[in-house]
Amino acid sequence: MNSDRSTSTGQSGTTHFGFRTVDEQEKAGKVAEVFHSVAQRYDVMNDLMSGGMHRLWKRFTIGRAGVRAGMRVLDIAGGTGDLALAFAGKVGPEGQVWHTDINSSMLQVGRDRLIDKGVLLPTVVCDAEHLPFSTDYFDVVTVAFGLRNMTHKDLALKEMQRVLKPGGKLLVLEFSRVAAPLAPAYDWYSFNVLPWLGQKVASDQDSYRYLAESIRMHPDQETLAQMMREAGFPRVNYFNLTAGVVALHEGVKLF
């Protein structure tokens, strides 16, 4: 489960790193430290933290993507490669799936996992705020559990819109605002169980406390939908999964 890339607070040059306020220039490095630390135990922790639900959330995302043979797909913050692996089986030899992440440790784990499964994909370290791809190139762009870690979400969303073809689809799978009746139990779990699991399994309590904090700093469902509209996706829908623990946002680029 990836952590928080929050939007800038504006002219102050500061942003959020969990509940802390830090200089914008520091955030990328701090997020990098989190994922360098957790990369090797990332998949195990995902299963433990979500009770395996992350696999269902990703399966739903893959289904909504509607990827077909010959398509070009960009997976941003692709990490250990769950989505890239699934899309590779759908695009066939005529299509492309680009497996990307800003964090080299996560990308290496994902690349090795893909190779172990006999899948060779272009694997690129890149920043979602400055994508190294041509305009109107991809049919589908996905980002799962990565948007909330980005310093300037608005810039990243605009870059995703830029590289999509007209008619192309962006899918953002991310932690979101849980239904109100569940909030107290969810908060207790997030701030007590997650750091404890992080210490026991990944020997890293702080990174998983940051995860819990970053989720609270991420825009809620409606706010993110509006951000996507402002980035050039006039048609945006979202689906609450597991009572809003996670939401899948879909945006279509019309022109």
Side-chain angles (χ1 to χ4, degrees):
M1 295 177 176
N2 294 27
S3 49
D4 169 70
R5 297 180 200 178
S6 183
T7 53
S8 166
T9 57
Q11 296 182 3
S12 66
T14 61
T15 188
H16 297 291
F17 177 73
F19 289 162
R20 295 166 54 195
T21 298
V22 299
D23 188 278
E24 284 186 352
Q25 304 303 315
E26 297 178 23
K27 181 165 181 177
K30 291 182 178 296
V31 171
E33 290 174 6
V34 169
F35 288 102
H36 286 312
S37 173
V38 305
Q40 294 299 323
R41 306 296 289 171
Y42 183 83
D43 285 334
V44 172
M45 282 297 295
N46 270 358
D47 282 330
L48 290 173
M49 289 187 300
S50 72
M53 289 298 295
H54 76 99
R55 298 178 185 274
L56 299 179
W57 300 330
K58 291 170 183 174
R59 190 178 304 166
F60 181 75
T61 302
I62 292 161
R64 292 294 307 179
V67 170
R68 302 185 303 277
M71 281 187 168
R72 296 172 178 170
V73 180
L74 171 62
D75 186 24
I76 295 172
T80 56
D82 285 345
L83 295 188
L85 178 63
F87 292 139
K90 295 179 180 293
V91 302
E94 300 303 315
Q96 296 179 13
V97 177
W98 287 77
H99 173 224
T100 74
D101 203 294
I102 196 171
N103 187 276
S104 59
S105 296
M106 292 291 294
L107 202 62
Q108 182 174 343
V109 171
R111 181 198 61 190
D112 293 347
R113 179 180 175 222
L114 290 167
I115 291 172
D116 287 345
K117 293 181 178 293
V119 177
L120 297 177
L121 299 178
T123 299
V124 179
V125 174
C126 68
D127 183 348
E129 297 178 18
H130 307 281
L131 293 172
F133 301 104
S134 300
T135 298
D136 300 340
Y137 188 78
F138 292 100
D139 298 285
V140 174
V141 174
T142 59
V143 54
F145 305 114
L147 182 66
R148 91 185 172 285
N149 299 311
M150 299 177 190
T151 305
H152 305 102
K153 296 181 182 66
D154 53 346
L155 296 182
L157 290 170
K158 288 177 182 177
E159 275 289 89
M160 296 175 205
Q161 193 267 2
R162 179 185 66 79
V163 301
L164 274 169
K165 296 178 181 178
K169 182 184 288 188
L170 169 65
L171 296 108
V172 180
L173 181 66
E174 189 55 88
F175 293 108
S176 199
R177 198 61 49 86
V178 70
L182 300 179
Y186 184 55
D187 285 346
W188 182 87
Y189 174 80
S190 298
F191 290 103
N192 292 277
V193 177
L194 291 189
W196 179 83
L197 276 175
Q199 183 61 40
K200 294 296 183 183
V201 177
S203 299
D204 187 346
Q205 183 180 77
D206 290 343
S207 291
Y208 288 92
R209 181 177 293 108
Y210 163 72
L211 168 63
E213 294 177 357
S214 72
I215 293 169
R216 274 69 183 176
M217 302 305 295
H218 186 65
D220 63 18
Q221 290 89 327
E222 284 293 341
T223 303
L224 179 55
Q226 184 58 31
M227 290 176 65
M228 291 174 65
R229 294 183 191 106
E230 292 171 358
F233 296 95
R235 287 171 42 192
V236 178
N237 298 311
Y238 65 83
F239 304 87
N240 283 320
L241 308 177
T242 317
V245 170
V246 166
L248 175 65
H249 283 67
E250 296 180 353
V252 176
K253 177 178 177 177
L254 297 186
F255 53 86

